[in-house]
Amino acid sequence: MTLAAKKLRLIFAGTPEFAAHHLQVLIDAAEHNGYTIVGVYTQPDRPAGRGKKLTPSAVKKLALSYQLPIFQPPSLKDNSAQTELKSLNADAMIVVAYGLILPKVILDTPTYGCLNVHGSLLPRWRGAAPIQRAILGDATMPDGDRKTGVTIMQMDAGLDTGDMLLTSICDIDSNETTLSLHDKLIHLGSDALLKVIVQIKAGTLKAIKQNDVHATYAEKISKQEAQINWNLSAKKIERSIRAYNPFPVAYTFFDQQRIKIYSATFIEYFDIKGVAREKSKKIAIGEILKWDENGLIVNCAEGVLQITCLQLPGKKAMSVSELMNGYQDFFSLGTSFE
């Protein structure tokens, strides 16, 4: 039987909603593209919610609805877990945001190895947070990356260092948040993954080695990193607010209370003459200059920031116009964010 005629046996490994979307696409296209999903690996159920009830992952919920075989080993370093995976006799293992380390013996078990859907144009942004880092940028792209995409990669023992099998590119819009870019990459990734599977069956798959010279590392985002530094430019702060939406969400402090900032726009030039204030007082970094239904205007090291959506402690996220209706006395002009 030729490879094109053979029905490929695939294992899927993933955990969050991003992975579940890819699994759904694989399920929908299985019959047409000539493969079957022989096993689904996902992380063990975790405590969630106020009651800390054990909750299955998004991938497990989906797999259950299709009655697919589910495996939830706490580690793949265990001999019994490795033997169990080998018994599935898989041609390839598709890995999408699984969250567990795959030892070399696992990488080498399927006939065509393990394929990973990575949310960047490798070797740009290897690591845990490629979507956020692409919006934030770095020294080479201080205003954030203009393009990103998805790379289908042949996994090896390194951190996102494997050969590239297929890339798909998209623009990063000027108002892009991590959530909106995440949704773009979901569709790019699932489409690219199906193309790679077709190429495996056709025997046309070509691997391209990454150029390590151009590699950058997307370090995991910490909650501490999301605290706004008002000594930066308004433009940079606005970009960080987009990068940290929906997680961990940018925040600042006002009167020792944590305020979450969901959206803002930067204003490069602002006429300070129209602001009611003491003439002798020097404008402080982080000072609230103006507050109306259009937003909360804050002074930054360069330019000013107009906050349009925020969340007060114990309240839901709301627009500034909503805030004015119920909490018009919360902020006062001339005071500053910390």
Side-chain angles (χ1 to χ4, degrees):
M1 181 183 293
T2 65
L3 183 60
K6 177 186 174 183
K7 203 165 191 178
L8 293 178
R9 296 171 60 84
L10 302 182
I11 294 172
F12 183 87
T15 299
E17 197 62 47
F18 184 82
H21 177 89
H22 286 76
L23 177 57
Q24 181 68 69
V25 169
L26 285 174
I27 292 169
D28 293 342
E31 191 62 35
H32 176 74
N33 287 338
Y35 58 82
T36 184
I37 299 169
V38 297
V40 173
Y41 278 73
T42 190
Q43 287 200 38
D45 297 359
R46 305 292 189 198
R50 292 183 178 180
K52 298 299 181 183
K53 181 180 177 181
L54 282 178
T55 304
S57 70
V59 164
K60 182 178 179 179
K61 290 177 184 177
L62 180 60
L64 283 170
S65 70
Y66 284 92
Q67 298 181 318
L68 295 172
I70 298 169
F71 303 89
Q72 295 181 274
S75 170
L76 288 173
K77 296 178 181 179
D78 183 74
N79 287 336
S80 62
Q82 294 169 5
T83 300
E84 186 174 55
L85 189 144
K86 186 176 182 180
S87 70
L88 295 175
N89 194 28
D91 292 296
M93 182 169 175
I94 310 300
V95 183
V96 186
Y98 181 29
L100 291 185
I101 294 173
L102 273 59
K104 190 175 187 304
V105 65
I106 294 293
L107 297 175
D108 294 340
T109 294
T111 307
Y112 295 96
C114 299
L115 313 182
N116 178 239
V117 180
H118 184 76
S120 80
L121 299 175
L122 292 171
R124 179 73 167 165
W125 299 126
R126 296 173 178 172
I131 300 176
Q132 292 97 327
R133 297 299 175 191
I135 295 174
L136 288 169
D138 61 4
T140 64
M141 296 291 287
D143 293 327
D145 293 4
R146 295 179 181 178
K147 293 183 181 296
T148 189
V150 166
T151 304
I152 310 297
M153 174 191 66
Q154 186 83 53
M155 296 180 71
D156 63 12
L159 178 63
D160 301 327
T161 56
D163 292 350
M164 300 179 293
L165 306 177
L166 191 147
T167 58
S168 187
I169 302 171
C170 70
D171 293 329
I172 298 179
D173 297 332
S174 60
N175 61 347
E176 203 84 72
T177 65
T178 286
L179 179 60
S180 65
L181 187 52
H182 167 277
D183 290 347
K184 277 185 184 179
L185 297 183
I186 274 183
H187 297 290
L188 281 182
S190 53
D191 289 346
L193 183 56
L194 290 179
K195 289 177 182 176
V196 166
I197 293 171
V198 170
Q199 289 175 10
I200 290 175
K201 283 185 67 67
T204 59
L205 195 63
K206 293 182 180 179
I208 300 173
K209 289 194 175 297
Q210 295 187 43
N211 186 341
D212 294 340
V213 173
H214 299 300
T216 51
Y217 177 58
E219 186 177 355
K220 184 178 179 180
I221 302 291
S222 67
K223 289 185 179 180
Q224 292 75 20
E225 184 180 352
Q227 181 173 359
I228 294 173
N229 179 0
W230 297 104
N231 287 296
L232 300 175
S233 70
K235 193 172 184 180
K236 186 161 185 156
I237 294 171
E238 183 271 341
R239 192 167 62 254
S240 70
I241 290 170
R242 289 189 283 110
Y244 301 137
N245 181 355
F247 181 83
V249 184
Y251 65 92
T252 186
F253 288 95
F254 182 80
D255 195 22
Q256 298 184 332
Q257 299 184 79
R258 184 189 292 250
I259 310 295
K260 293 182 177 180
I261 311 295
Y262 282 85
S263 66
T265 57
F266 70 88
I267 302 174
E268 202 162 354
Y269 302 103
F270 179 76
D271 185 7
I272 197 67
K273 294 178 182 178
V275 176
R277 58 179 295 103
E278 296 178 20
K279 293 183 179 179
S280 60
K281 185 181 175 184
K282 184 179 178 182
I283 301 172
I285 299 296
E287 182 178 334
I288 299 171
L289 302 177
K290 188 177 180 181
W291 183 17
D292 59 25
E293 64 277 1
N294 296 316
L296 192 69
I297 293 182
V298 184
N299 185 45
C300 306
E302 293 178 35
V304 300
L305 191 75
Q306 185 177 54
I307 297 169
T308 54
C309 181
L310 50 74
Q311 184 176 8
L312 303 182
K315 308 297 179 183
K316 67 175 185 178
M318 64 185 84
S319 67
V320 172
S321 59
E322 290 177 299
L323 185 73
M324 289 193 72
N325 292 331
Y327 305 93
Q328 61 269 29
D329 296 327
F330 191 88
F331 298 110
S332 56
L333 300 180
T335 55
S336 300
F337 286 115
E338 301 162 22

